[in-house]
Amino acid sequence: MKKRRSPIVVAAVALAVAAFFFAQSAATDPGQVTAAGSARSFQEYTPEAVSSATADETVVLFFHAVWCSTCKLLADDITANVDRIPDDLQILLVDFDTATDLKQRYGVTLQHTLVQLDSNGDAVEQWHLIRTLDDLLDSLV
């Protein structure tokens, strides 16, 4: 006698698998984020990007993870509006999963954390779950 699988179980498994593959394919590729606008305004973190910032520039570290849906929403909004990022602002993407030293230095414990730095590279302000570029711009100190 064959056992029949419940249609609900089969549907739930299929939905979970589809959601996983959608999340993987839809994840923002930080390497392509700068294609729409200024490569300097929204780019992957490098120590040089922070150290080369002038005293008049604002640097914000965006600790994100490719598996984080809210991180993707913010990254997509920034990418879509990259031309609206002020010339004196740099938003640097930091990989939450691999940047252990930076997370420790700035006290970051959650993905989707943004940290505004001063001209010495020290934290000035920190936010979680900023939803849009406009929200970020409104929050800057």
Side-chain angles (χ1 to χ4, degrees):
M1 177 182 275
K2 287 186 176 179
K3 289 185 179 179
R4 290 178 44 146
R5 291 192 178 118
S6 165
I8 293 173
V9 172
V10 172
V13 170
L15 184 59
V17 169
F20 172 78
F21 283 107
F22 175 78
Q24 294 300 313
S25 67
T28 299
D29 178 0
Q32 296 177 355
V33 167
T34 58
S38 169
R40 185 158 161 70
S41 59
F42 190 39
Q43 63 179 327
E44 288 186 44
Y45 167 85
T46 63
E48 296 78 25
V50 175
S51 65
S52 68
T54 67
D56 296 332
E57 290 180 309
T58 300
V59 175
V60 173
L61 304 180
F62 175 13
F63 289 83
H64 74 101
V66 295
W67 46 265
C68 172
S69 59
T70 59
C71 297
K72 179 174 175 12
L73 290 174
L74 177 58
D76 288 350
D77 186 69
I78 294 171
T79 300
N81 296 292
V82 73
D83 58 324
R84 294 185 41 242
I85 297 174
D87 291 338
D88 61 347
L89 173 62
Q90 289 187 64
I91 304 169
L92 304 176
L93 287 164
V94 180
D95 187 332
F96 179 82
D97 293 324
T98 61
T100 306
D101 291 345
L102 286 175
K103 288 190 307 187
Q104 186 175 33
R105 177 177 178 180
Y106 296 112
V108 173
T109 58
L110 302 168
Q111 79 281 0
H112 199 134
T113 297
L114 294 104
V115 179
Q116 182 178 344
L117 306 180
D118 65 15
S119 59
N120 296 320
D122 297 322
V124 173
E125 190 65 57
Q126 185 177 110
W127 310 276
H128 304 284
L129 297 173
I130 294 281
R131 302 279 184 208
T132 65
L133 175 60
D134 287 337
D135 290 345
L136 174 59
L137 296 176
D138 290 344
S139 299
L140 294 174
V141 178

